[in-house]
Amino acid sequence: MSTSRPPGPGGASLDETDRLLLARLGRDGRASYAEIGLLVNLSATAVRRRIDRLRARGVVRGFTVVLDPALLGWQTEAFVEVYCRERTAPEEILASLRQFPEVAAAWTVTGDADALVHLRAADTRHLEAVIERIRKEPGVQRSRSSVVLSRLIG
């Protein structure tokens, strides 16, 4: 009996083994093929082949390090609206923002701004330096920042 589901976005059809494998990778992208294999009842080689296929299909787009801002001492937060020059593609914005470890999240948005960026920094001096570096990126015309005073939810 097949446990595969209808294709999702992009035509990606995943079976239950793929879903378990992806869930494990989502929790720990450094998990070994052998560790994942124990979870999904496959050999390390079979897990590697599945991950390679998922990468080739674009289901897995990459592996990254997620920093813990609190452990880095980055207690200052801000939301920065980024306004770009005409014809700046979202891929260009992404490429610019990826180089900043202080970027906790970023979105393209509707309205006047082109992107909304969530920053974490050690203090206002660090925050200001990061914002200035973002403003110097090619394609960025200007920005508008709001510093978080206190977190109400989340």
Side-chain angles (χ1 to χ4, degrees), residues 91-149:
E91 295 80 19
E92 292 176 63
I93 300 169
L94 174 61
S96 290
L97 295 175
R98 264 203 175 131
Q99 64 186 316
F100 299 98
E102 296 89 352
V103 173
W107 306 267
T108 55
V109 294
T110 61
D112 293 333
D114 295 290
L116 180 64
V117 181
H118 179 203
L119 294 177
R120 304 278 311 240
D123 53 30
T124 55
R125 178 175 279 150
H126 180 191
L127 184 63
E128 181 180 23
V130 173
I131 292 169
E132 287 305 314
R133 288 184 6 241
I134 289 172
R135 290 178 64 181
K136 290 179 182 176
E137 284 296 305
V140 174
Q141 187 172 12
R142 65 185 177 93
S143 68
R144 187 170 77 180
S145 307
S146 297
V147 176
V148 174
L149 298 177

Side-chain angles (χ1 to χ4, degrees), residues 30-142:
R30 292 182 54 152
S32 71
Y33 297 139
E35 289 173 307
I36 297 168
L38 290 173
L39 174 71
V40 298
N41 201 26
L42 292 174
S43 70
T45 304
V47 169
R48 179 174 172 253
R49 281 195 305 264
R50 276 186 179 253
I51 291 173
D52 287 346
R53 279 196 302 262
L54 291 167
R55 289 185 73 195
R57 290 170 47 198
V59 175
V60 175
R61 295 189 312 212
F63 300 88
T64 188
V65 173
V66 178
L67 303 174
D68 185 330
L71 293 177
L72 293 170
W74 293 357
Q75 301 297 322
T76 303
E77 295 181 79
F79 287 89
V80 180
E81 293 177 335
V82 176
Y83 299 81
C84 297
R85 292 172 180 40
E86 283 188 44
R87 297 190 183 106
T88 302
E91 295 80 19
E92 292 176 63
I93 300 169
L94 174 61
S96 290
L97 295 175
R98 264 203 175 131
Q99 64 186 316
F100 299 98
E102 296 89 352
V103 173
W107 306 267
T108 55
V109 294
T110 61
D112 293 333
D114 295 290
L116 180 64
V117 181
H118 179 203
L119 294 177
R120 304 278 311 240
D123 53 30
T124 55
R125 178 175 279 150
H126 180 191
L127 184 63
E128 181 180 23
V130 173
I131 292 169
E132 287 305 314
R133 288 184 6 241
I134 289 172
R135 290 178 64 181
K136 290 179 182 176
E137 284 296 305
V140 174
Q141 187 172 12
R142 65 185 177 93

